[in-house]
Each structure stands twice: as structure tokens, then as C-alpha cells.
């Protein structure tokens, strides 16, 4: 009973922005730095996505007959023709991967804004966290599957096939993201119940 009362007290408090060390209301220096990093990463991701979309369109019309790639086979090196299917596949997957990164960073920016104003337990953040986890899973599977396809089909020996162990860390990140979404959902529910009782 005491623990539940503490939860209700926490979620019913008036939300205020973080305070700096000098006591002035506003974003702290670490918060400002983190927001700046997220904003910069978001802008760079958007720019790179547009660049690689343009490169993909250009690659459709570039003749590749005279191009090849060097592939190491044990101690020897051999030349492999650079096929159009390989180039278009790689150039097509890069914008897809970057687009997922843009979605993830955009969701983080929106969540971070609610944290900075002292009101993170919003229903919208639950949706954003679930979207973040879903896109993270999609990007991880796309990256892993693309390397597997290139290694085994499109360019044998050009790249090393990925192992299943490489999926462990991304899988943990995805689980943590969905767990945070459930924690935010519970926080939003408790805050809503508290507001109804006031």
C-alpha cells in the first residue's frame, strides 16, 4: 500500500523542466549536449539518406562492364566482376538502413523533448518507444540479412557471412526498448488514475 501511494505521489507531481546547478530553470549542460548530439545525428542521417538515394538512381545508368572488385581467397587475391545486381542491391539497402536510423533518431528527439519539460509519461511516448523497437528490429534484420545474401549469393567471398552471435546485442537493445515502453505505459496509467482522483 505504501509503495503504491509513493508511485501515485510521484506521478501526480507537477512536472517542471530540469534545473541547472545554479538553480535557474532550464536544461542542464548534459541535457543540452545530448540534445545537440541527437539533433546533429538526425540532420546527418537525413542528408546521407538523400545522398544515397541520388547515388542509387545514378547507379542504375552507370555501365559496369569495366569495373571489378578484388576478393581475398586465403592467401591469393582474385578479381570479381562488379555486377549490376550487387551494386543496386547495396546502393538500395543503404538508404533503407539510413531511413530506419532517421526514424529512430526522430523518435528519440520527440521523447527527449518530453523528458526535458518534465512530462515523459505520455501515451505518445509509448507509441514512439514501440516504433523505435520495431524499426530497430527491422534495421538489424535488414543489415544482417543483406550481409548474408551478399556473402552467399551476390559476391561469394567478397564479404564474410555474419554469425548469429552478432544478433545478441541488437536483440537485447530491442527487448530493453519494448520493456521501457511497458514501463512508460504503466507510468501513464498511474498518472491518469491519480489525476482522476484529485
Amino acid at each position: 500500500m505504501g509503495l503504491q501511494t509513493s508511485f501515485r505521489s510521484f506521478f501526480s507531481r507537477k512536472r517542471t523542466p530540469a534545473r541547472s546547478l545554479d538553480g535557474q530553470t532550464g536544461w542542464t549542460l548534459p541535457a543540452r549536449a545530448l540534445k545537440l548530439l541527437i539533433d546533429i545525428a538526425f540532420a546527418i542521417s537525413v542528408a546521407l539518406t538523400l545522398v544515397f538515394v541520388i547515388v542509387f538512381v545514378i547507379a542504375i545508368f552507370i555501365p559496369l562492364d569495366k569495373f571489378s572488385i578484388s576478393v581475398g581467397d586465403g592467401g591469393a587475391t582474385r578479381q570479381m566482376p562488379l555486377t549490376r545486381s550487387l551494386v543496386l542491391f547495396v546502393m538500395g539497402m543503404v538508404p533503407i538502413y539510413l531511413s530506419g536510423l532517421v526514424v529512430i533518431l526522430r523518435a528519440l528527439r520527440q521523447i527527449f523533448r518530453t523528458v526535458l519539460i518534465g512530462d515523459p509519461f505520455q501515451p505518445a511516448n509509448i507509441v514512439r518507444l514501440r516504433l523505435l523497437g520495431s524499426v530497430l528490429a527491422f534495421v538489424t534484420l535488414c543489415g544482417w540479412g543483406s550481409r548474408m545474401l551478399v556473402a552467399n549469393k551476390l559476391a561469394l567471398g567478397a564479404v564474410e557471412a555474419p554469425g548469429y552471435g552478432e544478433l545478441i546485442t541488437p536483440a537485447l537493445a530491442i527487448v530493453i526498448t519494448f520493456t521501457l515502453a511497458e514501463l512508460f505505459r504503466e507510468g501513464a496509467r498511474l498518472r491518469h488514475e491519480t489525476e482522476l482522483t484529485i
Side-chain angles (χ1 to χ4, degrees):
M1 187 68 180
L3 182 60
Q4 185 175 6
T5 302
S6 299
F7 271 116
R8 291 181 182 275
S9 175
F10 174 78
F11 290 111
S12 63
R13 288 184 303 180
K14 184 179 179 180
R15 307 301 174 193
T16 57
R19 291 182 176 272
S20 58
L21 292 177
D22 59 4
Q24 297 298 319
T25 300
W27 295 350
T28 61
L29 180 60
R32 289 177 182 272
L34 184 56
K35 183 182 183 302
L36 179 61
L37 288 176
I38 294 176
D39 289 342
I40 292 174
F42 177 76
I44 292 175
S45 299
V46 171
L48 287 177
T49 301
L50 295 176
V51 168
F52 276 98
V53 168
I54 295 173
V55 171
F56 173 77
V57 174
I58 295 175
I60 298 175
F61 304 100
I62 295 178
L64 301 173
D65 300 336
K66 298 181 181 180
F67 294 94
S68 62
I69 55 176
S70 299
V71 178
D73 189 5
T77 301
R78 59 187 175 88
Q79 296 295 317
M80 176 183 294
L82 190 60
T83 63
R84 186 168 300 278
S85 59
L86 174 61
V87 172
L88 293 182
F89 178 78
V90 173
M91 290 295 101
M93 288 306 302
V94 171
I96 293 175
Y97 185 90
L98 289 174
S99 297
L101 184 59
V102 168
V103 174
I104 290 173
L105 290 172
R106 182 174 182 272
L108 284 176
R109 293 177 75 201
Q110 293 172 332
I111 293 172
F112 199 74
R113 288 194 188 103
T114 64
V115 172
L116 289 175
I117 63 175
D119 189 21
F121 297 104
Q122 301 180 6
N125 278 348
I126 303 170
V127 177
R128 289 165 185 158
L129 283 169
R130 289 173 178 170
L131 174 64
L132 198 154
S134 299
V135 175
L136 184 58
F138 173 76
V139 168
T140 299
L141 291 177
C142 277
W144 189 89
S146 298
R147 284 181 56 196
M148 182 68 74
L149 184 60
V150 171
N152 295 328
K153 296 292 183 181
L154 298 178
L156 292 173
V159 296
E160 185 179 353
Y164 290 101
E166 297 180 19
L167 295 174
I168 295 177
T169 300
L172 287 176
I174 294 167
V175 170
I176 291 173
T177 301
F178 281 106
T179 301
L180 284 174
E182 292 305 307
L183 290 175
F184 272 63
R185 183 184 64 82
E186 182 65 13
R189 184 187 67 81
L190 289 173
R191 190 184 69 171
H192 179 68
E193 289 182 356
T194 303
E195 290 173 349
L196 291 177
T197 59
I198 295 176

